[in-house]
Amino acid sequence: MTTDGALGRLIRSSADRTAAAEREVCDLCAAPVADEHAHLYDTGQEEVRCVCGPCSVLFADAAAGDGQYRLVPRRRVRLPKVDTAVLGVPVGLVFFVPRADGTVTAQGPSPAGAMRWEVEAAAWQELCGTVAQLATVEPEVEALLVNTVHGLDHHWIVPVDDCYRMVAVVRREWRGLSGGGRIWPAVEQFFEDLTERP
């Protein structure tokens, strides 16, 4: 039997549909997006959405979309050690997101997704007073990302989509009750792959 006839066409058609289904598309217009593409933060749903180049241009102005959608910036800044003890979150792998209303949330990855805590706004302001760069974090769409697990010392200002990628790494690699042997090497590799960009 050859695969030149109807069976071959069916196999190729199925493979094409599978490949198309695996390709990411713009969440606004459904156009295919490149591997490296922009993201919008949906403030109502508190979710990151993929967006194509033309749609991202529509949200370049922060006032576009009545504030429901915010274009996630690309900036990454590695910081010197930041003493986050004042924020009262007792975990070493966590990200802090200031909100437009002045509140601050801390989120740490777990096998079920991100765990979330409220941080005292006054504590965040105190930390911003000692680390001036933190005052530049754009509410909702940028975060302070921290990894001090196993003696590491990573402190970054990153776009929130980086934080969600880190949460996805933890969910993907977690095994058993304690995470297993793959989780921490994967997290360390995630941080090693971060590069500064303006």
Side-chain angles (χ1 to χ4, degrees):
M1 180 187 301
T2 68
T3 58
D4 293 334
L7 179 60
R9 287 192 301 276
L10 180 61
I11 291 169
R12 285 190 297 278
S13 173
S14 176
D16 290 345
R17 279 195 307 274
T18 300
E22 291 174 359
R23 277 189 232 125
E24 286 189 284
V25 297
C26 176
D27 286 325
L28 296 182
C29 73
V33 294
D35 289 342
E36 287 287 322
H37 57 270
H39 290 103
L40 291 178
Y41 181 75
D42 182 336
T43 59
Q45 298 295 316
E46 295 187 359
E47 293 178 340
V48 173
R49 303 193 181 279
C50 297
V51 65
C52 66
C55 286
S56 72
V57 171
L58 299 173
F59 296 92
D61 182 343
D66 292 330
Q68 178 176 350
Y69 294 112
R70 300 271 319 277
L71 188 62
V72 176
R74 294 183 34 82
R75 174 177 80 136
R76 284 191 197 129
V77 179
R78 184 159 192 166
L79 300 173
K81 183 177 171 111
V82 177
D83 185 0
T84 57
V86 67
L87 300 178
V89 177
V91 295
L93 182 59
V94 64
F95 59 96
F96 300 91
V97 182
R99 303 293 176 183
D101 64 3
T103 62
V104 179
T105 59
Q107 297 180 57
S110 78
M115 300 177 297
R116 188 173 175 155
W117 303 269
E118 296 298 319
V119 173
E120 298 252 351
W124 176 259
Q125 291 305 319
E126 180 182 336
L127 188 60
C128 288
T130 61
V131 182
Q133 288 172 300
L134 292 180
T136 69
V137 173
E138 236 184 282
E140 313 284 355
V141 292
E142 287 186 317
L144 167 62
L145 177 61
V146 176
N147 182 12
T148 58
V149 176
H150 299 148
L152 295 175
D153 189 20
H154 293 286
H155 299 85
W156 289 81
I157 294 173
V158 296
V160 292
D161 53 359
D162 279 348
C163 300
Y164 293 126
R165 282 191 315 108
M166 186 265 302
V167 170
V169 166
V170 170
R171 289 188 73 182
R172 183 184 69 231
E173 300 298 338
W174 193 282
R175 300 291 182 272
L177 294 175
S178 64
R182 295 171 31 172
I183 181 76
W184 297 115
V187 168
E188 289 174 21
Q189 188 61 56
F190 172 86
F191 278 88
E192 289 303 318
D193 291 344
L194 287 179
T195 55
E196 287 198 280
R197 42 185 204 209

